[in-house]
Amino acid sequence: MIEYRNLKIALLGAGSVGSRVAQLLLEHGDELASRVGAGLELVGIAVRDIDAQRDVELPQELYTTDAESLILSADIVIELMGGIEPARTYILQALHSGADVVTGNKALLALHGTELFEAAEQVGAQLYYEAAAGGAIPIIRPLRDSLAGDRVKRILGIVNGTTNFILDRMDVEGDSLESALAIATELGYAESDPTADIEGYDAAQKAAILARLAFHSAVPVEAVHREGITGVTPALVEQARRSGYVVKLLAICERVTDPLTGEEGISARVHPALVSRLHPLAAVHGAKNAVFVEAEAAGDLMFYGAGAGGLETASAVLGDLVSAARRHVAGGPGVAESLTAHLPFVQIGKVLTRYQITLEVVDEPGVLARIAGLFSEHDVSVEAVQQSVGSRRDGSVEGAGTLAVVPGAGPLTATLVIVTHESTEAALSATVDDLATHAAVTSVQSVMRVEGN
């Protein structure tokens, strides 16, 4: 039997992911050792309450409340506590001691990633974070290593399982957002406070991380444009279906060219969008995640799988642990983060996109021409228009027979669904603002961006 030297592993946090990591590390330690060329000894698990109830039964003697002493005794530290503090302090302490760190803390990386990566580089340590975006999906390594010699043009990502589950229920089952959220909570996909998910904060943090990697430039999370899904209604989902689309919450990171200066920059945004049902992302159902990468040489790539779950995310953490352990066996300093491009961040107003705009308009001769003229004034080109049957504001519909005269009935109206060609976000937004006050428009019923076509 081959005898290996041991690498000491410290685990911070024993929640749903941390406890699964510990369980797998203890159960499969010998197998992992053969892959690494060194033993992986779990020397302790730092927790706030040693006696707390946990889903996984682990040896009681591993638990400690002395995180600092545990960190200083370890070769590799796995941080799965979540939150900003004390996780930030503990990771910096581990890096400064020369230990490598594995983390899945997306919020911390989005806010303090630059500080943490600089600390790792100063001492030749390495910070691994595959579990911070996409759960079990291997997306960090492909962007950092496999595509390092390519030029990534765009990333379209479904990176939040909770919102994808909700929107999928609304599309497939016809649920309201509220009922779909209740089911997501019951199944454990949504937290008791779902704000981070349904308002897009979680996805925005992941977008900042992915954009940083893909474009080798710092991306502050506060610069990421963010919209949640609370405005998505069953009527909007049904309209999307009739038009051949599905509604998805997308994280979009892309290279863009400033239309005024011609300078190349990068953009990152999170918002609900219409995706063609022919696009691969349209087939991502339930709580699954998928990241669609458009690269200059490699072409289109898609990474698909579980975006959350204790066991699934533990797989990504253990993958990073094996990589860290192999680096220790091989020796040498860690690989620094590549942030040499320094591409400027471009605000959403200069981003090119397409809109689908649903309007209720007065049904009378010349209205369509007047509406088209307004689009032309903003240099926005119309790709397609669909017009519904006319109806009264009181709901009575004009059919093949005679429309009854109803005392007090409102004017005859029609619904226009207008899809634009690509234009700047600023021009499209200004067009919608003017439509809202146009004499022929009785209401702007919905505005959705169209992506992925």
mmCIF file of all heavy atoms in Angstrom, residues 16 38 138 163 212 225 344 431 438:
data_model
loop_
_atom_site.group_PDB
_atom_site.id
_atom_site.type_symbol
_atom_site.label_atom_id
_atom_site.label_comp_id
_atom_site.label_asym_id
_atom_site.label_seq_id
_atom_site.Cartn_x
_atom_site.Cartn_y
_atom_site.Cartn_z
ATOM 1 N N SER A 16 -25.495 23.100 4.785
ATOM 2 C CA SER A 16 -25.892 22.048 3.845
ATOM 3 C C SER A 16 -24.745 21.651 2.926
ATOM 4 O O SER A 16 -24.591 20.468 2.595
ATOM 5 C CB SER A 16 -27.095 22.522 3.020
ATOM 6 O OG SER A 16 -26.769 23.679 2.269
ATOM 7 N N ALA A 38 -1.284 12.655 -2.119
ATOM 8 C CA ALA A 38 -1.113 13.047 -0.716
ATOM 9 C C ALA A 38 -2.408 12.769 0.019
ATOM 10 O O ALA A 38 -3.497 12.826 -0.575
ATOM 11 C CB ALA A 38 -0.740 14.524 -0.587
ATOM 12 N N PRO A 138 -19.166 23.098 -13.940
ATOM 13 C CA PRO A 138 -17.782 23.568 -14.062
ATOM 14 C C PRO A 138 -17.692 24.704 -15.074
ATOM 15 O O PRO A 138 -17.589 24.479 -16.278
ATOM 16 C CB PRO A 138 -17.024 22.321 -14.547
ATOM 17 C CG PRO A 138 -18.057 21.522 -15.273
ATOM 18 C CD PRO A 138 -19.378 21.806 -14.605
ATOM 19 N N THR A 163 -35.153 31.334 -9.353
ATOM 20 C CA THR A 163 -35.924 32.112 -10.325
ATOM 21 C C THR A 163 -36.224 31.290 -11.574
ATOM 22 O O THR A 163 -37.285 31.445 -12.187
ATOM 23 C CB THR A 163 -35.200 33.406 -10.709
ATOM 24 O OG1 THR A 163 -33.853 33.088 -11.092
ATOM 25 C CG2 THR A 163 -35.168 34.381 -9.552
ATOM 26 N N ARG A 212 -15.609 39.213 -14.758
ATOM 27 C CA ARG A 212 -14.213 39.428 -14.347
ATOM 28 C C ARG A 212 -13.308 38.378 -14.981
ATOM 29 O O ARG A 212 -12.239 38.685 -15.512
ATOM 30 C CB ARG A 212 -14.139 39.352 -12.816
ATOM 31 C CG ARG A 212 -12.743 39.423 -12.233
ATOM 32 C CD ARG A 212 -12.767 39.007 -10.761
ATOM 33 N NE ARG A 212 -11.454 39.101 -10.185
ATOM 34 C CZ ARG A 212 -11.025 40.124 -9.453
ATOM 35 N NH1 ARG A 212 -11.824 41.138 -9.210
ATOM 36 N NH2 ARG A 212 -9.800 40.151 -8.973
ATOM 37 N N HIS A 225 -26.047 46.135 -13.881
ATOM 38 C CA HIS A 225 -27.465 46.508 -13.950
ATOM 39 C C HIS A 225 -28.293 45.317 -13.492
ATOM 40 O O HIS A 225 -28.090 44.189 -13.938
ATOM 41 C CB HIS A 225 -27.842 46.890 -15.376
ATOM 42 C CG HIS A 225 -29.295 47.218 -15.540
ATOM 43 N ND1 HIS A 225 -29.815 48.458 -15.241
ATOM 44 C CD2 HIS A 225 -30.344 46.455 -15.945
ATOM 45 C CE1 HIS A 225 -31.115 48.451 -15.466
ATOM 46 N NE2 HIS A 225 -31.463 47.250 -15.895
ATOM 47 N N PRO A 344 -12.799 49.222 -19.830
ATOM 48 C CA PRO A 344 -13.729 50.075 -19.085
ATOM 49 C C PRO A 344 -15.119 49.444 -19.025
ATOM 50 O O PRO A 344 -15.523 48.709 -19.937
ATOM 51 C CB PRO A 344 -13.755 51.370 -19.895
ATOM 52 C CG PRO A 344 -13.384 50.950 -21.284
ATOM 53 C CD PRO A 344 -12.418 49.820 -21.128
ATOM 54 N N THR A 431 -37.812 55.656 -26.425
ATOM 55 C CA THR A 431 -38.971 55.355 -27.268
ATOM 56 C C THR A 431 -40.160 54.928 -26.427
ATOM 57 O O THR A 431 -41.297 55.383 -26.629
ATOM 58 C CB THR A 431 -38.619 54.240 -28.271
ATOM 59 O OG1 THR A 431 -37.488 54.640 -29.050
ATOM 60 C CG2 THR A 431 -39.797 53.955 -29.195
ATOM 61 N N HIS A 438 -48.044 59.041 -25.742
ATOM 62 C CA HIS A 438 -48.562 59.249 -27.102
ATOM 63 C C HIS A 438 -50.097 59.231 -27.077
ATOM 64 O O HIS A 438 -50.717 58.404 -26.396
ATOM 65 C CB HIS A 438 -48.034 58.162 -28.031
ATOM 66 C CG HIS A 438 -48.196 58.463 -29.488
ATOM 67 N ND1 HIS A 438 -49.402 58.351 -30.149
ATOM 68 C CD2 HIS A 438 -47.297 58.884 -30.420
ATOM 69 C CE1 HIS A 438 -49.240 58.668 -31.414
ATOM 70 N NE2 HIS A 438 -47.968 59.001 -31.618
#
